[in-house]
Amino acid sequence: MVEVKELSKQFSLKAEVNYLNFYYGGKVHALKDIMMPVYDKKVTALIGPSGCGKTTLLRCFNRMHDLYPGNKYKGEITLEPDAVNLLSPKVDPIEVRMRISMVFQRPNPFPKSIYENVAYGLRVREETKKRVIDEKVETALRGAALWNEVKDRLQEPGTSLSGGQQQRLCIARALATDPEIVLFDEPTSALDPIATGSIEDLIGELKNQVTILIVTHNMQQAARVSDFTGFMYLGELVEFDYTNSIFHNPGKQQTADYIEGRFG
Ligand SMILES: Nc1ncnc2c1ncn2[C@@H]1O[C@H](COP(=O)(O)OP(=O)(O)O)[C@@H](O)[C@H]1O
Ligand SMILES: [Mg+2]
């Protein structure tokens, strides 16, 4: 396993997870002493068997767990370059969700027009200038490779689009606030192979502008889209390395067993 320190000399950090522990309702200890770097403008994949804590870790990054009482974080996720601890009670979760946006497993457009779906975060930010919103909506839809398909129907409901288009609409919504990190939780699990391919291609393009963290149970997908991979098991990060190393030369027996399909 390449030492994280070694990697950090070559790539700049966008975020760093430091001794992160997470508890659901004060009982379920779902994340245990997670230490993980997130490199700037790279794709980092989280893999591991169902229930190992991938979604839980992803949701710490934008403070989604704050929405339910009794959940508890210990440790830090620092966001660079300002080294702010995202988990600090002094940090406003709404602001965190502007800087770190999320795309969910199933496309979940709001019951609004295509345009308003993308404009949503800008309105939350109290942006009122139509010219600014128009421009950001177009940029986000272009970024999500959807503009050409919807530019003549921006006032139609988001739900009138196909599943793959709806997921790209959700990506546009996630991009509209110019986030620093976009979180993807199994973004293609509800999509057919063609729509999956276009989302994977899109992720490859997006990393030029934003840092990406993606959870997937599809190992081929992790191998195709990511630069770095973390393998999780029972709430721990067992191994973190270049994706290529994780898949071809894993450092831990547990990782090798998982990659070779011996469990999970
Ligand atoms: N809302 C919740 N309340 C209590 N336990 C939960 C909740 N969500 C997930 N868990 C538990 O936390 C662990 C990690 O779950 P999760 O992060 O969803 O795993 P993964 O995404 O890797 O499948 C599992 O044991 C799961 O049962
Ligand atoms: Mg999950």
Side-chain angles (χ1 to χ4, degrees):
M1 174 168 171
V2 176
E3 283 299 319
V4 165
K5 272 198 195 108
E6 216 33 56
L7 290 172
S8 298
K9 281 187 216 151
Q10 296 170 52
F11 303 98
S12 48
L13 274 173
K14 183 64 220 172
E16 195 166 23
V17 183
N18 252 320
Y19 290 108
L20 176 64
N21 286 268
F22 180 79
Y23 306 82
Y24 281 108
K27 283 200 285 282
V28 182
H29 189 183
L31 297 177
K32 299 170 188 160
D33 283 338
I34 306 285
M35 308 279 288
M36 190 181 81
V38 179
Y39 294 109
D40 193 33
K41 304 212 170 70
K42 300 284 176 203
V43 179
T44 298
L46 295 171
I47 62 168
S50 181
C52 70
K54 304 179 296 296
T55 295
T56 304
L57 176 55
L58 202 69
R59 287 173 169 242
C60 288
F61 277 83
N62 70 346
R63 299 270 300 267
M64 287 288 283
H65 299 298
D66 290 42
L67 301 172
Y68 305 92
N71 290 342
K72 201 168 102 196
Y73 311 92
K74 266 171 67 183
E76 295 187 336
I77 300 179
T78 50
L79 191 62
E80 302 298 342
D82 38 358
V84 56
N85 174 20
L86 297 174
L87 303 179
S88 162
K90 286 181 226 138
V91 172
D92 176 7
I94 308 285
E95 190 49 37
V96 172
R97 290 177 207 133
M98 297 287 167
R99 295 180 65 177
I100 303 182
S101 58
M102 181 144 181
V103 176
F104 297 85
Q105 216 161 336
R106 298 197 156 267
N108 59 345
F110 300 136
K112 292 173 184 285
S113 67
I114 293 168
Y115 181 96
E116 284 303 329
N117 263 279
V118 184
Y120 181 80
L122 304 167
R123 301 218 189 271
V124 172
R125 260 193 187 164
E126 294 172 359
E127 177 59 67
T128 52
K129 292 191 209 73
K130 183 171 182 307
R131 187 184 49 80
V132 172
I133 299 176
D134 281 354
E135 191 184 301
K136 289 202 179 273
V137 166
E138 177 172 343
T139 305
L141 284 167
R142 286 188 187 279
L146 190 58
W147 175 250
N148 288 335
E149 288 155 69
V150 301
K151 63 177 191 285
D152 299 322
R153 48 187 291 202
L154 292 173
Q155 297 313 322
E156 290 176 27
T159 49
S160 66
L161 298 169
S162 73
Q165 288 174 322
Q166 286 187 24
Q167 195 60 315
R168 279 181 280 142
L169 179 64
C170 294
I171 294 172
R173 183 174 69 195
L175 292 174
T177 53
D178 294 320
E180 293 158 65
I181 302 179
V182 181
L183 311 171
F184 289 87
D185 193 356
E186 311 218 14
T188 63
S189 57
L191 303 180
D192 63 48
I194 291 175
T196 295
S198 66
I199 300 284
E200 289 182 4
D201 291 346
L202 180 54
I203 288 171
E205 284 162 31
L206 287 176
K207 75 173 179 180
N208 295 318
Q209 60 178 89
V210 71
T211 300
I212 293 173
L213 204 51
I214 178 172
V215 164
T216 175
H217 66 249
N218 177 334
M219 285 192 270
Q220 286 75 29
Q221 179 165 74
R224 281 193 297 267
V225 306
S226 70
D227 303 292
F228 297 96
T229 297
F231 168 61
M232 296 183 70
Y233 187 58
L234 298 177
E236 295 185 41
L237 183 67
V238 173
E239 186 168 353
F240 178 91
D241 210 329
Y242 291 110
T243 295
N244 202 34
S245 303
I246 290 283
F247 284 94
H248 297 108
N249 188 21
K252 299 261 171 80
Q253 190 58 42
Q254 270 179 332
T255 314
D257 288 349
Y258 181 69
I259 300 292
E260 285 159 28
R262 283 196 285 269
F263 71 94

